[in-house]
């Protein structure tokens, strides 16, 4: 039996669609149908009811259950063989907060996939606190976030430093505060701001930066609160108010201008369980990230 035929059959049952399975496998529907016909001929009985829909027969359900187990066993065997040959393989589950997910992780992911074709990446984006909670619950392997959380079980490694910048629409009539480019002037309190939500890494960094110049978020005129960097910048572009973002968020062209920089004691970190510090997959992430952002 060809494993590709079995894989095709399992994909069809999982997706309950020949068309979707064909697309996922990179096959034409006609080529996929021929694979299933060849598998049925080999086994000597039909695997799908031919009365409409995608419903496996009793034999089809048996082949599906046994086939999934066979494919999983083959994947495990192949991974072990590649591991013994020194070829990294397996799944790496990454959780990233807004800025790393949008502006830093793509370059790391591209390098990993190009160098290690047997490594499969799974990426989820959420707020920093939520991502770290996923890590503590072992739903992901690595967290890529902009906050440090005291934890007896997690280890944090700085990946890339960051600076917060105040930006506004390109045509906004906003002048930098006199004197201190960090923004210590009370002129800031008269400006409308689009702020990130409390708990986000950017908001926590902003709160620290404001405290360093004798202000707090409550001193600012809040025009809106946004749950993401992208929406905050879109609101700023529309003229709703100035906003504070990571300098990495300006890596793409925007109709925004930088008004000032804030003093920032922030980095983006890779976090993982301390007991997994020598895990080959986590080392791959750390080493490749360091090469790009060192």
């Amino acid at each position: 039996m060809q494993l590709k035929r079995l894989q095709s059959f399992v994909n069809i049952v999982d997706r309950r669609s020949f068309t979707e399975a064909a697309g996922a496998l990179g096959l034409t529907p006609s080529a996929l149908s021929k694979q299933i016909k060849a598998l049925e001929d080999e086994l000597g009985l039909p695997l799908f009811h031919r009365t409409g829909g995608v419903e496996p027969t009793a034999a089809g359900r048996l082949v599906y259950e046994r086939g999934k187990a066979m494919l999983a066993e083959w994947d495990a065997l192949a991974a072990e063989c590649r591991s013994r040959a020194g070829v990294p393989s397996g799944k790496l589950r990454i959780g990233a907060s807004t800025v790393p997910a949008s502006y830093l992780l793509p370059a790391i992911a591209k390098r990993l996939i190009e160098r290690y074709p047997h490594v499969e990446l799974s990426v989820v984006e959420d707020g920093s606190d939520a991502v770290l909670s996923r890590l503590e619950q072992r739903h992901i392997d690595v967290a890529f976030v902009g906050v440090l959380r005291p934890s007896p079980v997690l280890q944090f490694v700085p990946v890339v430093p960051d600076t917060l910048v105040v930006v506004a629409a390109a045509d906004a009539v906003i002048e930098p505060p006199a004197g201190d480019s960090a923004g210590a002037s009370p002129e800031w309190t008269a400006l409308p701001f689009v702020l990130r939500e409390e708990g986000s890494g950017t908001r926590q960094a902003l709160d620290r930066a404001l405290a360093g110049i004798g202000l707090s978020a409550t001193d600012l005129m809040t025009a809106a609160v946004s749950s993401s960097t992208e929406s905050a910048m879109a609101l700023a572009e529309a003229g709703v108010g100035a906003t504070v973002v990571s300098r990495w968020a300006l890596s793409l062209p925007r109709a925004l201008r930088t008004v000032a920089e804030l003093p920032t004691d922030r980095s983006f970190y890779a976090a993982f369980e301390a007991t997994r510090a020598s895990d080959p997959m986590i080392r791959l992430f750390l080493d490749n990230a360091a090469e790009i952002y060192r």
Side-chain angles (χ1 to χ4, degrees), residues 97-180:
S97 57
T98 302
V99 173
S102 298
Y103 312 108
L104 301 174
L105 183 58
I108 300 173
K110 182 174 184 290
R111 178 165 295 190
L112 287 172
I113 294 304
E114 288 177 346
R115 288 183 170 180
Y116 314 106
H118 298 297
V119 171
E120 178 185 347
L121 300 182
S122 171
V123 178
V124 60
E125 178 183 348
D126 211 330
S128 292
D129 287 342
V131 168
L132 289 174
S133 294
R134 288 175 183 264
L135 180 61
E136 291 172 336
Q137 296 163 10
R138 298 186 174 180
H139 293 161
I140 57 175
D141 303 304
V142 177
F144 197 7
V145 295
V147 299
L148 287 170
R149 176 191 288 178
S151 170
V153 297
L154 299 183
Q155 180 175 339
F156 289 78
V157 175
V159 175
V160 56
D162 188 33
T163 300
L164 293 181
V165 292
V166 181
V167 297
D171 58 355
V173 183
I174 296 177
E175 295 300 328
D180 190 348

Side-chain angles (χ1 to χ4, degrees), residues 8 27-36:
S8 295
L27 299 172
T28 64
S30 174
L32 182 59
S33 295
K34 289 179 180 179
Q35 283 195 6
I36 299 306

Side-chain angles (χ1 to χ4, degrees), residues 188-196 198 203 206 216-226 240-242:
W188 284 128
T189 61
L191 294 176
F193 270 88
V194 178
L195 300 178
R196 286 293 308 279
E198 293 187 20
R203 178 59 179 270
L206 172 61
S216 71
T218 57
D219 295 318
L220 303 180
M221 184 190 303
T222 303
V225 176
S226 173
V240 174

Side-chain angles (χ1 to χ4, degrees), residues 6-38:
L6 187 58
Q7 183 184 45
S8 295
F9 172 72
V10 168
N11 260 277
I12 294 169
V13 177
D14 282 341
R15 299 173 187 276
R16 303 185 67 82
S17 167
F18 270 77
T19 302
E20 290 187 13
L25 295 168
L27 299 172
T28 64
S30 174
L32 182 59
S33 295
K34 289 179 180 179
Q35 283 195 6
I36 299 306
K37 180 61 168 61

